[in-house]
Amino acid sequence: MEETISLQDLFKTLKKRLGLIALLTILAITIAGVVSYLFLTPIYETSTQILVNQEKTDAAQMINQNIQADLQLINTYSVIIKSPAILDQVEEQLNLGLTVDQLNEKITVATAENSQVVNVTVQDPDPQVAVDIANMTANVFQEEIKELMSVDNVSILSPAVLNDNPAPVAPNPMMNMAIAGVIGLMLGVGLAFLIDYLDTTMKTDQDIEDILGIPLLGVISPIQEKAELTEKVATSSRRRAG
Amino acid sequence: MARQKKVLQQTARKLITFTTPKSYVAEQFRTLRTNITFSSPDADIRTMVVTSAAPSEGKSTTSANLAVVFAQEGKRVLLVDGDMRKPTTHHTFHMGNTIGLSSILTRQAAPEDAIRPTAVERLDLLTCGAIPPNPAELLASKSMDLLIKQLKEKYDLIIFDAPPVLSVTDGQIIANKCDGVVLVINSGSTEKEMALKAKEAITASNSKIIGAVLNNYELAKDSHYYQYYGSSE
């Protein structure tokens, strides 16, 4: 017997298992929501901005060249910020009990394209600690750069501040729930088709013709409990009357 | 008392063509009757077996209701409980089962005594009788052939309620002695493999399959079969 699957059959299967699919989707979203809100440690993010600028701006035509040089410098600075030379001091001053590597993981250095501004972003479960690390890193860097590169061209543009109501950046419950919803939906659809595929019982009039090859004389619907049915109708109408 | 009530309710449920002849399920049985009549225009089907692959797929309900609708059509119908291992028709029609088919075949009773009229006009019932130790041998006996021959003179149609063909051989034996076989398929519970085997077993018994009945088939709500045409009960 040749198995052919038509689009209608697919939709029929999905329609039949709509409850299962919906249940799995809702379940996945709920689990993701509960885990995100109750179990995952929220991570807070703060950032400080550092401006890199040569102070000797003597000639106007030189500015453009200086900026180019600064941009190249910034790449170097990004590496320096995350180097143990800086982070060791940050740790020493803040005394957080973290290794340089752990500290390194919390810090991200990024430059806005074609600008002289360097963003130092810090993520930590404690928003206060994140602010402290960001500011301390910027300060230490500003001090150290004088010694390391014998220039004084770094100024702190905006220090990290602690908001009154810091919002965590991770976990993102909405995103997690959305992803879980999609996964739940796919799982439900997959399971629906699997159940349908594994079900080897005769179902429709089509099955009888396809498999047995004998004429279908008729279909008989399930015989309902008549007594129960009339009883239900009676109680509902009585309720309406009263 | 409660048990009695339950039995009554179940009976009312089973003989739907008799208790609620205007329901759409009753109409489905009438369609079934029409299709059986039209299925073999040349050969007149006088004896018919209702069987299935596995137990409890609706053989007894189908055969009883089919007997009722054929009787309502004007035929003189005899329903025979050929299931000598788990007889049920006497429950359906509220009758005793002290004498029946087994009594006739073992020559303990005459057919006239064992066959009893039912509440349905023109429909008579032959229950199974005492459960014999050797149903297959009894059904295969010469006296069974003789009985069918005798009964054919009195009735237009004899419907046998047979045991499932894949469980015991009785179904095949009865099928071999009859003009046609109706195979009951229970939607959602009969395995495809089993249904195919049942069909092969019936074919092997050298009997003609009239066709299949799809039982317990949930019609879609928007199906045009769903509402009984003409009146809403």
Side-chain angles (χ1 to χ4, degrees):
Chain A
M1 37 192 144
E2 191 85 3
E3 285 259 352
T4 47
I5 302 167
S6 74
L7 208 59
Q8 275 104 327
D9 285 342
L10 292 184
F11 278 121
K12 221 177 271 175
T13 309
L14 289 182
K15 207 174 147 192
K16 201 167 60 190
R17 308 278 175 201
L18 203 64
L20 177 84
I21 296 169
L23 187 81
L24 270 176
T25 310
I26 292 167
L27 199 73
I29 291 176
T30 314
I31 290 173
V34 166
V35 169
S36 306
Y37 279 112
L38 300 180
F39 293 106
L40 291 183
T41 328
I43 302 288
Y44 296 89
E45 184 182 272
T46 53
S47 64
T48 171
Q49 289 184 316
I50 300 169
L51 181 69
V52 178
N53 187 29
Q54 308 268 9
E55 274 166 17
K56 38 176 195 248
T57 50
D58 34 7
Q61 67 264 40
M62 289 291 283
I63 291 176
N64 204 26
Q65 283 179 15
N66 283 343
I67 292 175
Q68 287 302 320
D70 286 343
L71 286 178
Q72 279 169 12
L73 266 182
I74 287 166
N75 287 332
T76 317
Y77 288 173
S78 305
V79 179
I80 294 172
I81 292 174
K82 297 192 79 173
S83 71
I86 307 289
L87 295 184
D88 262 341
Q89 286 198 33
V90 174
E91 166 58 27
E92 228 168 73
Q93 304 236 352
L94 289 175
N95 204 13
L96 293 166
L98 295 170
T99 65
V100 172
D101 281 341
Q102 282 173 326
L103 209 54
N104 202 342
E105 273 172 26
K106 292 177 191 285
I107 300 172
T108 325
V109 179
T111 54
E113 206 180 334
N114 279 331
S115 81
Q116 292 165 274
V117 178
V118 179
N119 273 318
V120 178
T121 309
V122 179
Q123 293 190 339
D124 195 87
D126 187 340
Q128 184 57 56
V129 171
V131 168
D132 288 347
I133 294 174
N135 287 333
M136 189 55 71
T137 309
N139 286 337
V140 170
F141 175 67
Q142 196 185 14
E143 293 302 314
E144 286 294 301
I145 204 72
K146 290 175 197 158
E147 284 176 33
L148 286 170
M149 305 205 38
S150 51
V151 283
D152 184 13
N153 63 347
V154 170
S155 51
I156 294 169
L157 200 62
S158 69
V161 284
L162 180 63
N163 291 337
D164 291 340
N165 263 325
V169 289
N172 187 340
M174 281 301 155
M175 182 62 99
N176 288 353
M177 280 154 77
I179 292 170
V182 171
I183 292 173
L185 194 70
M186 277 159 59
L187 212 67
V189 170
L191 205 62
F193 282 121
L194 190 71
I195 290 173
D196 208 57
Y197 182 74
L198 292 180
D199 188 352
T200 55
T201 59
M202 308 284 280
K203 282 261 154 42
T204 59
D205 38 0
Q206 196 63 45
D207 286 343
I208 288 179
E209 275 169 38
D210 290 350
I211 294 158
L212 298 183
I214 58 176
L216 178 74
L217 296 171
V219 294
I220 307 295
S221 295
I223 302 171
Q224 261 131 29
E225 291 278 0
K226 227 183 152 320
E228 197 183 285
L229 210 74
T230 39
E231 223 171 71
K232 260 188 208 154
V233 172
T235 45
S236 69
S237 60
R238 211 176 299 142
R239 208 172 294 140
R240 208 172 298 145
Chain B
M1 172 79 190
R3 192 188 150 81
Q4 181 75 29
K5 198 179 166 195
K6 179 141 194 223
V7 168
L8 277 171
Q9 264 182 10
Q10 268 183 352
T11 308
R13 197 169 73 98
K14 274 187 174 169
L15 268 186
I16 188 158
T17 46
F18 179 60
T19 52
T20 41
K22 286 199 167 184
S23 63
Y24 69 87
V25 180
E27 192 56 41
Q28 286 173 330
F29 275 109
R30 283 192 280 272
T31 308
L32 188 58
R33 175 186 68 195
T34 311
N35 286 342
I36 290 172
T37 313
F38 285 160
S39 65
S40 40
D42 295 333
D44 193 18
I45 293 174
R46 299 284 307 280
T47 49
M48 193 166 77
V49 188
V50 177
T51 188
S52 69
S56 19
E57 298 200 326
K59 292 175 296 294
S60 300
T61 311
T62 307
S63 54
N65 280 295
L66 211 51
V68 170
V69 288
F70 270 114
Q72 284 168 346
E73 194 189 38
K75 283 198 164 91
R76 284 167 300 157
V77 183
L78 175 69
L79 178 64
V80 183
D81 197 342
D83 191 341
M84 290 197 179
R85 305 184 192 243
K86 241 176 83 186
T88 53
T89 51
H90 55 283
H91 290 306
T92 314
F93 288 92
H94 293 291
M95 280 185 185
N97 189 27
T98 42
I99 53 168
L101 183 60
S102 62
S103 324
I104 301 174
L105 293 179
T106 52
R107 295 169 200 284
Q108 287 171 342
E112 296 76 38
D113 301 326
I115 295 171
R116 280 160 294 177
T118 64
V120 185
E121 218 181 321
R122 290 180 296 275
L123 174 60
D124 288 354
L125 176 69
L126 177 57
T127 58
C128 150
I131 295 175
N134 52 346
E137 284 75 17
L138 274 187
L139 290 170
S141 66
K142 278 267 183 286
S143 36
M144 180 71 180
D145 290 334
L146 200 70
L147 178 67
I148 292 176
K149 209 176 154 197
Q150 277 178 7
L151 294 174
K152 266 183 173 175
E153 286 164 16
K154 275 186 76 183
Y155 295 96
D156 296 322
L157 180 67
I158 305 166
I159 297 176
F160 285 91
D161 178 12
V165 272
L166 292 188
S167 309
V168 286
T169 188
D170 304 15
Q172 283 174 285
I173 295 167
I174 305 174
N176 178 254
K177 295 181 190 299
C178 290
D179 300 335
V181 180
V182 171
L183 186 63
V184 177
I185 304 286
N186 196 351
S187 174
S189 103
T190 306
E191 297 281 334
K192 288 173 181 169
E193 200 88 346
M194 302 282 258
L196 203 61
K197 275 187 187 158
K199 183 206 162 190
E200 280 162 7
I202 295 165
T203 316
S205 70
N206 202 14
S207 41
K208 178 179 173 263
I209 296 181
I210 305 172
V213 177
L214 192 59
N215 195 24
N216 266 330
Y217 181 63
E218 293 268 7
L219 290 174
K221 282 269 187 293
D222 51 358
S223 165
H224 57 282
Y225 295 116
Y226 198 74
Q227 277 298 325
Y228 173 56
Y229 175 76
S231 83
S232 56
E233 267 190 77

